[in-house]
Amino acid sequence: MKKKEIEYFMEIAYKEALKAEKYGEVPVGSLIVCKETKQIISKSYNQTEKLNDPTAHAEILAIRKACKKTNDWRLDSKFVIFTTLEPCKKCLEVIKDARIREVFYGAKNLSTKKNIKSPRSKNLKIKKISDQLKSFFKKIR
């Protein structure tokens, strides 16, 4: 992508971040762009407070909209994401899961979230659940 195109799309992401700030959200805006057509597929802003949803980050909401619009959860190399803030770990995992291979961001994320502890987890090793998953993946592969 050319520098002018990147600047243009980042300006739109910034306008989305202004919406988030207006509603008292962390000011982050994101958009998904088709690399071939340079068309904006979706855009969004942080809405965790508004929706009472810890997953309602701008990147995740933009990805959800893009997947709905394209009728596919695999956004692959055809799409790129622009976001005003470097994606957090959660958003980065969703970006990877959506198979987006290119991210442009406007500012480094300095949040480390050191005070948040990971929940305890334990594998209960339930055989019928394990068997179900093995059977499912055996059928589709």
Side-chain angles (χ1 to χ4, degrees):
M1 249 184 210
K2 297 175 184 165
K3 186 179 178 186
K4 287 266 187 206
E5 293 169 333
I6 293 168
E7 289 171 356
Y8 170 76
F9 291 126
M10 283 306 299
E11 184 61 28
I12 294 169
Y14 175 72
K15 287 178 182 173
E16 288 295 306
L18 290 173
K19 291 179 192 176
E21 187 175 26
K22 177 181 170 186
Y23 294 114
E25 302 278 355
V26 176
V28 179
S30 298
L31 52 119
I32 308 291
V33 175
C34 177
K35 286 170 74 171
E36 296 166 3
T37 64
K38 310 294 191 255
Q39 200 172 18
I40 296 170
I41 303 303
S42 67
K43 58 186 177 177
S44 196
Y45 56 91
N46 271 2
Q47 297 179 51
T48 54
E49 299 296 332
K50 180 180 177 183
L51 300 176
N52 291 312
D53 180 353
T55 69
H57 288 200
E59 300 94 330
I60 294 171
L61 295 174
I63 289 169
R64 286 178 185 161
K65 288 179 182 179
C67 291
K68 190 172 186 172
K69 192 169 184 179
T70 62
N71 200 31
D72 194 349
W73 62 270
R74 297 169 196 89
L75 298 175
D76 295 323
S77 59
K78 289 187 244 174
F79 300 95
V80 60
I81 187 166
F82 289 85
T83 188
T84 56
L85 181 65
E86 177 184 20
C88 68
K89 289 179 184 178
K90 168 177 39 192
C91 290
L92 197 55
E93 288 304 313
V94 174
I95 290 166
K96 287 193 291 188
D97 286 345
R99 300 181 180 171
I100 296 171
R101 295 189 186 127
E102 200 168 10
V103 178
F104 291 99
Y105 60 89
K108 184 106 176 105
N109 190 342
L110 302 176
S111 172
T112 56
K113 297 191 178 186
K114 290 180 183 175
N115 297 331
I116 299 173
K117 293 182 180 179
S118 295
R120 286 185 282 157
S121 63
K122 179 166 177 43
N123 181 355
L124 299 176
K125 299 179 183 173
I126 299 172
K127 185 174 177 359
K128 69 180 178 181
I129 295 171
S130 178
D131 290 346
Q132 176 192 34
L133 290 163
K134 285 177 188 174
S135 172
F136 174 80
F137 284 108
K138 191 174 183 178
K139 286 178 198 171
I140 66 169
R141 292 189 173 137

